[in-house]
């Protein structure tokens, strides 16, 4: 008998067991996970694509599943209209609700709170989440028959880490806005790669482009994210990512990299319906677009935490040095911390191409 605590992603994830359960075998590609094919895609609804984080394909897939009555609802997240700085996971049951939930939420999201409705209300559901959310849902499905039978699609959003709520407060301070004066906030959208949009209660619209490097993405990383070995949402049926590749420099409308792990016919049907543009993408290119983050999670995290039970490319002295020099391991004067992050990122970025690129099939 499994205990309920075993269903929590923070208390350990047996990727071998879950891969066997979900895909019937361990992945041949230990960096990308089990997959059938990879694509670059975008919604042909230009407004949807422009207003989404990158291409609008998560929203487009959900709209297709709902409109074709393949699902009765989807677990997604919007910002709470009454408390606009708080994320609100909920079950979207209409196209309007799915569109309302489009775009990234760069703050902790308690997706598990919406699982109760899936347990209580019979139907077929999709779940959208970060790798840790998908891990938790997959483990919960091992414990709960209703979740296992009712959740039929798992859409994973590629993720390096989720900044804490203090990161949003940091941005508001940069803009000179009190948290209580915020009427609405969007972290992405308005073209790719997008920027922060804050609406105040007095009707003022404030924009902050390219804010990730301001300290928002470096200074507020939760401890749990330092322990995560899963960047690519390997336990999902489909993974969705930004196309951080040279060929997309200058892209403004937005494109989505997709790793199809199961149910590839869904994307074919969406394409045939004229709802999206789709082109095949070499898996090695998908991997290259995320290489630094995969290196940090697959090698550096494994060195310092030893939590992922798999065979990885050999660890050498430079890998160990990069693990030792992680900013969280060193006491850095506040005025120097961003400079140190920059130095560390440059140092760490020298390794991934040498040790990991070309390892995938």
């Amino acid at each position: 008998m499994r205990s309920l605590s075993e269903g929590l992603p923070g208390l350990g994830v047996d990727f071998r067991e879950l891969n066997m359960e979900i895909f019937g075998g361990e992945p041949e590609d230990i960096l990308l996970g089990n997959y059938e094919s990879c694509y670059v895609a975008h919604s042909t609804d230009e407004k949807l694509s422009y207003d989404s984080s990158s291409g609008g394909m998560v929203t487009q897939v959900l709209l297709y599943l709902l409109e074709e009555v393949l699902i009765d609802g989807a677990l997604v997240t919007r910002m709470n209209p009454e408390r606009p700085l708080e994320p609100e996971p909920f079950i979207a049951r209409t196209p309007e609700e799915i569109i309302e939930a489009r775009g990234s939420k760069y703050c902790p999201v308690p997706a598990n709170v919406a699982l109760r409705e899936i347990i209580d209300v019979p139907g077929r559901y999709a779940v959208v989440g970060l790798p840790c959310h998908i891990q938790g849902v997959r483990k919960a499905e091992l414990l709960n028959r209703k979740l296992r039978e009712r959740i039929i699609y798992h859409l994973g959003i590629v993720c390096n880490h989720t900044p804490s709520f203090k990161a949003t407060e940091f941005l508001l301070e940069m803009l000179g806005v009190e948290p209580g004066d915020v009427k609405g906030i969007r972290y992405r959208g308005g073209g790719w790669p997008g920027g922060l949009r804050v609406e105040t209660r007095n009707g003022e619209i404030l924009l902050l482009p390219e804010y990730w490097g301001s300290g928002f993405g470096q200074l507020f990383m939760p401890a749990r994210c330092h322990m995560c070995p899963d960047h690519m949402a390997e336990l999902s049926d489909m993974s969705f990512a930004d196309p951080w590749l040279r060929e997309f420099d200058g892209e403004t409308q937005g494109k989505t990299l997709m790793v199809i792990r199961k149910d590839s016919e869904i994307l074919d049907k969406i394409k045939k319906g004229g709802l999206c543009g789709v082109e095949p993408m070499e898996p090695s290119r998908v991997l290259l677009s995320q290489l630094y983050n995969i290196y940090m999670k697959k090698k550096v995290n494994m060195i310092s935490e030893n939590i992922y039970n798999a065979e990885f490319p050999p660890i050498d002295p430079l890998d160990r040095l990069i693990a030792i020099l992680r900013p969280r391991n060193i006491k850095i004067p506040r005025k120097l911390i961003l400079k140190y992050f920059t130095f560390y990122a440059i140092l760490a970025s020298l390794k991934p191409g040498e040790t990991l690129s070309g390892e995938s099939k």
Side-chain angles (χ1 to χ4, degrees), residues 181-305:
D181 293 335
V182 175
K183 181 180 179 181
I185 186 169
R186 289 187 61 83
Y187 293 94
R188 296 278 298 273
W192 190 77
L196 183 75
R197 183 183 187 276
V198 175
E199 181 181 0
T200 66
R201 296 193 183 278
N202 64 11
E204 188 177 8
I205 303 295
L206 300 171
L207 303 176
L208 191 61
E210 300 180 7
Y211 57 87
W212 194 269
S214 68
F216 175 84
Q218 295 81 18
L219 305 179
F220 304 97
M221 185 174 180
R224 169 63 175 84
C225 297
H226 285 285
M227 299 169 59
C228 179
D230 182 7
H231 178 71
M232 296 300 298
E234 297 172 31
L235 301 180
S236 62
D237 300 314
M238 303 178 185
S239 297
F240 301 78
D242 281 281
W244 302 118
L245 293 167
R246 287 187 182 276
E247 57 259 44
F248 297 103
D249 287 351
E251 170 68 40
T252 57
Q253 186 67 23
K255 297 287 179 65
T256 309
L257 294 185
M258 298 180 64
V259 179
I260 308 299
R261 307 182 188 281
K262 296 177 68 175
D263 303 314
S264 58
E265 69 278 0
I266 294 295
L267 186 60
D268 293 335
K269 292 176 181 177
I270 296 173
K271 180 182 179 181
K272 288 178 182 177
L275 300 175
C276 69
V278 179
E279 295 179 9
M281 173 68 73
E282 285 295 324
S284 60
R285 299 297 293 166
V286 175
L287 188 61
L288 182 63
S289 77
Q290 310 293 320
L291 202 54
Y292 171 81
N293 291 326
I294 291 175
Y295 167 73
M296 296 301 292
K297 287 180 175 287
K298 294 294 192 183
K299 293 195 79 176
V300 177
N301 284 4
M302 188 184 75
I303 293 167
S304 56
E305 306 294 346

Side-chain angles (χ1 to χ4, degrees), residues 315-353:
I315 295 168
D316 62 27
L318 184 53
D319 294 322
R320 296 190 183 280
L321 178 63
I322 289 170
I324 292 169
L325 293 179
R326 295 182 75 168
R328 73 184 184 120
N329 296 337
I330 299 173
K331 189 173 183 180
I332 306 164
R334 186 174 181 84
K335 64 180 181 180
L336 297 177
I337 193 165
L338 276 179
K339 291 183 179 179
Y340 185 83
F341 270 108
T342 301
F343 157 77
Y344 181 77
I346 293 172
L347 172 66
S349 68
L350 299 176
K351 277 295 289 181

Side-chain angles (χ1 to χ4, degrees), residues 21 70-72 118-119 121-126 137-138 140-154:
E21 182 75 22
L70 297 173
I71 59 171
D72 300 294
I118 295 176
I119 293 173
V121 182
R124 294 167 297 176
Y125 296 90
V137 168
R138 291 294 197 182
E141 288 172 7
L142 295 178
L143 300 169
N144 189 293
R145 177 182 56 81
K146 290 182 178 179
L147 291 177
R148 185 166 60 251
E149 293 174 350
R150 294 175 184 177
I151 299 174
I152 59 174
Y153 295 105
H154 306 74

